[in-house]
Amino acid sequence: NNEKRKEKSRDAARCRRSRETEIFAELSGLLPMKQADIDHLDKASIMRLVISYLKIRNMLDLFPKIKAFCNNNNSKKNVGKMVSKRIVHNRNDDDDDIEMNDDSKTDDHDDDIEDKKISLLDMENEKMTLQALDGFLLILSEDGDVTYISENVQEYLGISQIDFLGQPIWEYSHQCDHDELREALNGRRQSPSEIIKGSHPNDVHPDMQRNFFLRLKCTLTSRGRSVNIKNASYKVIHIIGHVAFNKETNTRQLVAIACPLPHPSNIEIPLGSNTFLTKHSLDMKFTYVDDKMKSLMGFEQKDLLGKSVYECHHGGDSDNLMTTFKNLISKGQMETSRYRFLAKTGGYVWLVTQATILYDKQKPQSIICVNYMISGIENKDEIYSCAQLEARKCKISIQMDLYFAVGFLL
């Protein structure tokens, strides 16, 4: 009797495992992924990705226009196929020499060709869209789970889309950035008691823009090689997006474009005519000035060397720049929003600056800035600092001396 019970138990376990394998095979077959990627998935990964794709479908409820467009597009494709089949069917009815089997084969062949054309067109459009982003698409739930991330994330971070989907972003982001990320997801910082209780603040501002910097793990080295995730470094990512909110279901998602900041060593040389380099000490004093600043803003190297960058910008941009450069010290890399940099003799130009801390033996040594000038000199006749006033007086004095010298010679 014991042997029979053991045998029945083994048979039941064998059937259960066989049925489980069949179910997971069916689930993996439903995933919209390449077969080569599916073959390497374990059962836990299959469940995670299935749940993730179900959440992606639910996420589309936050964007009714996009959902309607997708449904309309799919319905048009189906109608087109039905019309094509009807035309072929009617044509074949008039031709008694063609057999029904040949008709079905022709229909299937035409459908396959049409599907391939549509698939290739969709792939080309997706590729062009991702290239235009200059980064990757990132959608996070209010809990910080990765609802969706575009496939090209692997080009920037070395981690595949499959590894990200359905995973909490906290596992891939720097611990010191968690409060800032939580604030972006929920609208404000949670108190320790709220975190322990797992409560969610409801004062998030729907559709309000989010603009912050997040450090994510990167397995790519400077030489383009890939390392193990345990040895990954952190790359600073500029997150720009908004919170999509559904009042009926009380759900929200952070929809953002994630743009990795390039390291100065990876920037293409020569730089554009309106792009110039500067180097600073850790207190943001100029230690190197690009010669381009002479033609762009009138500055020579001697005018700026040893001078603080805080003396050279418009007073209205002080708070934003102070916050940016504080974050630079903590994160190692930062990009400013556009700000006004004062020209030598009056007025200002609009700049966007990407700043990077350079390290020597893991100790910060200096800051290098890549500055992008996005306007010409504006309000040339207005004075915004004492330095501009002195430079203007000196310029006028030189012009007067030159005028009298020319007059004397004449």
Side-chain angles (χ1 to χ4, degrees):
N1 290 335
N2 288 336
E3 291 297 326
K4 289 182 178 180
R5 281 198 297 269
K6 289 180 180 179
E7 185 64 28
K8 287 182 178 180
S9 178
R10 284 194 292 268
D11 290 340
R14 195 179 299 112
C15 290
R16 186 171 61 251
R17 288 194 298 270
S18 177
R19 180 56 182 158
E20 184 181 273
T21 302
E22 292 176 4
I23 292 173
F24 275 100
E26 291 177 7
L27 287 175
S28 62
L30 296 174
L31 291 173
M33 297 168 54
K34 300 176 183 177
Q35 188 60 42
D37 295 332
I38 294 176
D39 293 339
H40 293 88
L41 297 176
D42 56 18
K43 293 179 180 179
S45 297
I46 292 173
M47 286 299 299
R48 171 173 59 83
L49 291 172
V50 168
I51 294 171
S52 178
Y53 278 109
L54 290 175
K55 289 182 177 180
I56 291 173
R57 290 179 57 124
N58 293 334
M59 180 265 296
L60 289 177
D61 293 334
L62 297 171
F63 309 99
K65 292 183 179 180
I66 296 178
K67 189 173 184 179
F69 173 79
C70 293
N71 292 336
N72 186 40
N73 201 29
N74 289 333
S75 63
K76 285 182 178 179
K77 292 178 184 178
N78 293 332
V79 169
K81 289 181 181 180
M82 292 174 63
V83 170
S84 299
K85 287 182 179 181
R86 185 62 182 169
I87 291 173
V88 173
H89 180 71
N90 291 339
R91 185 183 62 194
N92 290 340
D93 283 346
D94 296 336
D95 192 350
D96 297 334
D97 296 334
I98 301 177
E99 298 180 358
M100 292 300 294
N101 290 336
D102 293 336
D103 293 343
S104 61
K105 290 180 180 179
T106 302
D107 292 347
D108 292 341
H109 180 66
D110 291 342
D111 288 345
D112 291 341
I113 294 175
E114 186 66 24
D115 289 341
K116 288 180 180 178
K117 288 181 179 179
I118 294 172
S119 178
L120 288 173
L121 182 61
D122 290 342
M123 288 174 62
E124 186 65 25
N125 290 336
E126 182 181 357
K127 184 179 179 180
M128 292 175 64
T129 302
L130 293 176
Q131 287 177 347
L133 289 179
D134 196 23
F136 53 91
L137 180 63
L138 177 65
I139 301 178
L140 300 177
S141 70
E142 56 188 310
D143 297 323
D145 294 333
V146 179
T147 303
Y148 179 78
I149 193 166
S150 56
E151 191 173 0
N152 65 332
V153 64
Q154 190 164 2
E155 299 175 13
Y156 297 101
L157 301 180
I159 304 172
S160 69
Q161 180 191 44
I162 294 175
D163 293 331
F164 267 112
L165 285 176
Q167 297 282 25
I169 194 65
W170 319 109
E171 294 184 6
Y172 294 95
S173 58
H174 197 285
Q175 188 173 3
C176 295
D177 296 341
H178 286 182
D179 286 343
E180 187 176 3
L181 177 57
R182 193 174 289 112
E183 181 181 7
L185 294 173
N186 297 321
R188 65 173 173 85
R189 295 183 186 275
Q190 291 176 284
S191 65
S193 59
E194 288 176 331
I195 296 173
I196 294 173
K197 294 178 182 178
S199 61
H200 303 284
N202 295 319
D203 60 345
V204 67
H205 302 287
D207 298 324
M208 184 175 177
Q209 186 177 357
R210 298 290 189 262
N211 191 331
F212 62 99
F213 293 85
L214 182 68
R215 284 169 287 184
L216 293 178
K217 287 182 178 179
C218 177
T219 60
L220 297 176
T221 65
S222 58
R223 298 181 180 180
R225 297 178 181 176
S226 184
V227 298
N228 190 280
I229 188 69
K230 295 180 180 179
N231 301 321
S233 58
Y234 284 96
K235 179 176 283 191
V236 179
I237 311 294
H238 190 184
I239 308 294
I240 309 169
H242 70 280
V243 174
F245 185 74
N246 189 326
K247 294 182 180 179
E248 296 179 359
T249 59
N250 196 29
T251 58
R252 53 180 174 262
Q253 300 272 348
L254 173 63
V255 183
I257 297 173
C259 303
L261 297 185
H263 194 275
S265 60
N266 297 329
I267 295 177
E268 294 183 2
I269 302 295
L271 299 174
S273 58
N274 292 334
T275 305
F276 59 93
L277 293 175
T278 56
K279 194 173 181 181
H280 308 261
S281 58
L282 295 179
D283 56 358
M284 292 309 296
K285 289 183 178 179
F286 285 93
T287 58
Y288 168 79
V289 177
D290 199 321
D291 293 334
K292 289 182 184 178
M293 294 191 73
K294 171 69 175 176
S295 59
L296 296 175
M297 287 174 278
F299 288 111
E300 297 181 6
Q301 289 194 5
K302 62 181 181 180
D303 298 326
L304 293 176
L305 290 178
K307 196 173 183 178
S308 173
V309 72
Y310 299 114
E311 302 176 40
C312 302
H313 62 74
H314 193 285
D317 301 322
S318 296
D319 291 341
N320 287 336
L321 286 178
M322 285 291 291
T323 302
T324 298
F325 288 122
K326 283 182 180 178
N327 287 332
L328 170 66
I329 299 301
S330 62
K331 298 186 179 184
Q333 201 172 16
M334 195 59 57
E335 181 180 82
T336 67
S337 56
R338 61 174 191 161
Y339 68 97
R340 290 159 288 188
F341 193 95
L342 302 183
K344 183 176 179 178
T345 57
Y348 53 80
V349 298
W350 288 96
L351 290 184
V352 173
T353 298
Q354 291 178 349
T356 304
I357 295 181
L358 300 181
Y359 294 87
D360 183 19
K361 298 179 181 179
Q362 298 184 343
K363 291 184 179 181
Q365 295 296 319
S366 60
I367 298 171
I368 189 166
C369 295
V370 182
N371 305 279
Y372 300 90
M373 198 173 84
I374 57 177
S375 77
I377 299 178
E378 300 181 3
N379 302 325
K380 294 181 180 180
D381 297 330
E382 297 183 8
I383 301 297
Y384 295 94
S385 69
C386 294
Q388 283 185 328
L389 182 60
E390 291 297 325
R392 175 70 64 86
K393 288 180 179 179
C394 183
K395 180 180 178 180
I396 294 174
S397 177
I398 293 173
Q399 289 175 345
M400 292 298 292
D401 292 343
L402 182 62
Y403 174 78
F404 286 120
V406 172
F408 178 77
L409 291 174
L410 293 175

